[in-house]
Amino acid sequence: MSATINSITPIGGNAGKGAYHVSERGYYGEFGGAFIPEMLYPNVEELRQKYLEVMSEPSFKQEFNKLLKDYVGRPSPLYFAKRMSEKYETRIYLKREDLNHTGAHKINNTIGQILMARRLGKTRIIAETGAGQHGVATATVCALTGMECVVYMGEIDIARQAPNVARMKMLGAEVRPALSGSRTLKDATNEAIRDWINNPVDTHYIIGSAIGPHPYPDMVTRFQSVISEEIRAQLLEQEGRENPDYVVACIGGGSNAAGTFYHFLDEEDVNIIAVEAAGKGIDSGESAATSVLGHQGIIHGCRTLLMQTEDGQITEPYSISAGLDYPGVGPMHAHLFKSGRAEFKAITDSDAMKAGLQLCQLEGIIPAIESSHALAVFEHQKFGKDDIVVVALSGRGDKDLNTYIDYFSL
Ligand SMILES: *Cc1c(COP(=O)(O)O)cnc(C)c1O
């Protein structure tokens, strides 16, 4: 089989088939929308008006699919994890996003958005990054297409993520430090938004997860939906049916999960499990389990569930995994939680680390710590022996080696 993009699902209403897809106005149930400063309106509105049309152009699909195949290395394998399946007495498949170029699912989105930016006549790209993974994926596609690239990153993050800063520089990006506030992701995002307001004509802002004002969550989800599209074809080939019994994915902002769930949203026989980072425990004050601890509010331009104080100040999240260390979830996931379509689980640092090490020793695969959270689900839930459980292995563990070394005293 070859990778094919996104049979474009029509924009849904809020009932029946399509109930879990975005509405015409950019909502998933009560979540989503575009809450942005007036001065950003023209940029976001241009994207909103054009994104579906651009994505459905045959030449766009062809270029996207070709890059996914020849540059990213898709389709990523759907691997039957035999030893792990034996241990947990169920049928476990791993969707190997860790084998993608640059080591995670993030490249699927940045490839899509860079092609979108070109179709919109943009010549300059900006992005925000926390741990640096999205910054690297963005710098990569800018090098690939010869676009100017500026990545905003908190000064504190620049200091603690030196290898990713070096990668971005090698790829030709300029890394600009955010010097205000806590000097982390939130401040980098503010700087990126300020830049976009000042450069509305030539610049596209590549957001790195299924978050932000409409149409970003839907656009990112559609680019990532190649994951579930491939799972269906691969399961049909290997098991004779397209639908697994369960799909499982970790959630930071929610892009790998959105892509893994997308083609199963309306398939009621497929159970959806979303895994959040509980950090040191839900009640520890050091957590990122938004579905449990969050309330409705507005973050990064959309209404969703987020962790905040009584007076609406965003709470500092915590997780051992940089990619899950985010105080909100994308609006689609807030709706999947509220509607009960997905089951949410919170996994602690220690359970995730154990599951990560176990995958190394049972299957010879070193997972990203984000992905290890999804793998930990088997210690918390018993699946039937004939159940097919597909877990998104969102990334590889190379970037986390120092954390593994410190944690296990290796
Ligand atoms: C960034 C990242 C995540 C979290 O981001 P989502 O948008 O929630 O997918 C998960 N896994 C890996 C490997 C990542 O790099």
Side-chain angles (χ1 to χ4, degrees):
M1 62 165 291
S2 66
T4 55
I5 182 189
N6 316 329
S7 35
I8 296 282
T9 304
I11 285 202
N14 285 322
K17 197 126 176 133
Y20 306 108
H21 293 274
V22 78
S23 76
E24 192 79 45
R25 305 198 50 217
Y27 281 86
Y28 303 84
E30 63 202 272
F31 302 105
F35 299 84
I36 49 174
E38 186 101 27
M39 290 172 76
L40 213 54
Y41 183 80
N43 312 35
V44 175
E45 181 57 15
E46 180 189 25
L47 195 60
R48 189 190 70 78
Q49 284 182 12
K50 296 188 179 153
Y51 82 109
L52 287 177
E53 188 188 313
V54 170
M55 283 181 73
S56 60
E57 284 168 12
S59 68
F60 181 92
K61 289 192 197 184
Q62 194 183 19
E63 199 178 356
F64 182 63
N65 290 332
K66 189 158 172 52
L67 284 173
L68 288 186
K69 178 167 174 280
D70 298 337
Y71 188 72
V72 176
R74 304 202 74 92
S76 67
L78 183 70
Y79 166 68
F80 178 65
K82 183 161 175 289
R83 298 221 312 138
M84 202 175 159
S85 296
E86 280 164 9
K87 177 175 166 78
Y88 290 107
E89 299 174 318
T90 187
R91 301 181 59 73
I92 301 172
Y93 281 88
L94 304 177
K95 182 57 173 163
R96 301 289 309 273
E97 295 301 297
D98 62 311
L99 293 176
N100 293 342
H101 178 47
T102 69
H105 66 290
K106 287 193 171 72
I107 191 87
N108 305 327
N109 169 47
T110 56
I111 295 256
Q113 285 203 50
I114 200 86
L115 297 182
M116 177 68 62
R118 269 218 314 234
R119 294 294 195 288
L120 299 178
K122 311 291 178 181
T123 54
R124 179 175 176 270
I125 297 297
I126 56 171
E128 85 295 331
T129 197
Q133 294 302 111
H134 174 56
V136 170
T138 301
T140 299
V141 297
C142 287
L144 174 72
T145 55
M147 290 255 215
E148 184 186 344
C149 181
V150 176
V151 179
Y152 289 93
M153 190 169 185
E155 195 180 31
I156 300 273
D157 290 333
I158 288 179
R160 59 187 177 190
Q161 306 290 346
N164 275 342
V165 175
R167 285 186 183 101
M168 287 184 263
K169 288 182 176 167
M170 286 186 74
L171 292 161
E174 182 193 339
V175 181
R176 284 195 195 157
L179 304 171
S180 62
S182 58
R183 292 172 291 155
T184 57
L185 179 61
K186 171 168 60 66
D187 313 289
T189 303
N190 290 338
E191 294 291 333
I193 289 171
R194 202 164 303 145
D195 182 312
W196 207 21
I197 288 172
N198 290 326
N199 300 284
V201 178
D202 67 341
T203 298
H204 173 71
Y205 179 12
I206 299 190
I207 293 182
S209 190
I211 53 169
H214 179 64
Y216 277 100
D218 186 50
M219 178 172 67
V220 173
T221 296
R222 286 170 192 261
F223 288 139
Q224 292 291 1
S225 73
V226 65
I227 299 172
S228 49
E229 189 175 337
E230 288 176 5
I231 291 172
R232 298 196 75 163
Q234 291 167 323
L235 266 187
L236 186 63
E237 211 172 281
Q238 298 187 49
E239 291 278 352
R241 58 168 156 126
E242 292 185 317
N243 285 357
D245 297 290
Y246 293 86
V247 280
V248 184
C250 67
I251 295 204
S255 68
N256 88 87
T260 302
F261 302 163
Y262 189 79
H263 285 93
F264 302 116
L265 290 172
D266 294 323
E267 305 288 319
E268 297 288 345
D269 59 328
V270 181
N271 297 288
I272 297 176
I273 299 179
V275 181
E276 294 181 311
K280 295 186 176 161
I282 299 261
D283 301 319
S284 67
E286 293 183 77
S287 181
T290 308
S291 70
V292 188
L293 299 169
H295 300 282
Q296 189 164 305
I298 289 169
I299 184 171
H300 296 158
C302 66
R303 183 188 297 141
T304 189
L305 290 173
L306 65 136
M307 291 165 36
Q308 53 191 329
T309 60
E310 299 254 299
D311 53 355
Q313 292 290 333
I314 291 167
T315 315
E316 202 62 45
Y318 165 81
S319 165
I320 195 169
S321 140
L324 303 185
D325 189 354
Y326 183 74
V329 289
M332 181 178 113
H333 299 295
H335 181 52
L336 292 179
F337 173 73
K338 193 83 187 277
S339 63
R341 176 68 184 94
E343 187 185 345
F344 278 63
K345 292 197 179 294
I347 297 292
T348 60
D349 289 357
S350 65
D351 286 353
M353 295 303 278
K354 236 184 284 172
L357 188 60
Q358 178 177 270
L359 188 75
C360 299
Q361 298 177 356
L362 281 182
E363 299 290 347
I365 298 170
I366 302 177
I369 298 175
E370 291 86 355
S371 320
S372 301
H373 284 72
L375 296 165
V377 80
F378 296 101
E379 286 291 328
H380 290 258
Q381 181 164 337
K382 179 79 188 142
F383 297 91
K385 84 172 174 23
D386 295 324
D387 283 345
I388 295 176
V389 186
V390 175
V391 182
L393 202 67
S394 55
R396 67 176 86 123
D398 307 32
K399 70 183 177 61
D400 296 319
L401 214 55
N402 279 329
T403 311
Y404 280 125
I405 289 169
D406 291 345
Y407 192 87
F408 293 112
S409 308
L410 300 172

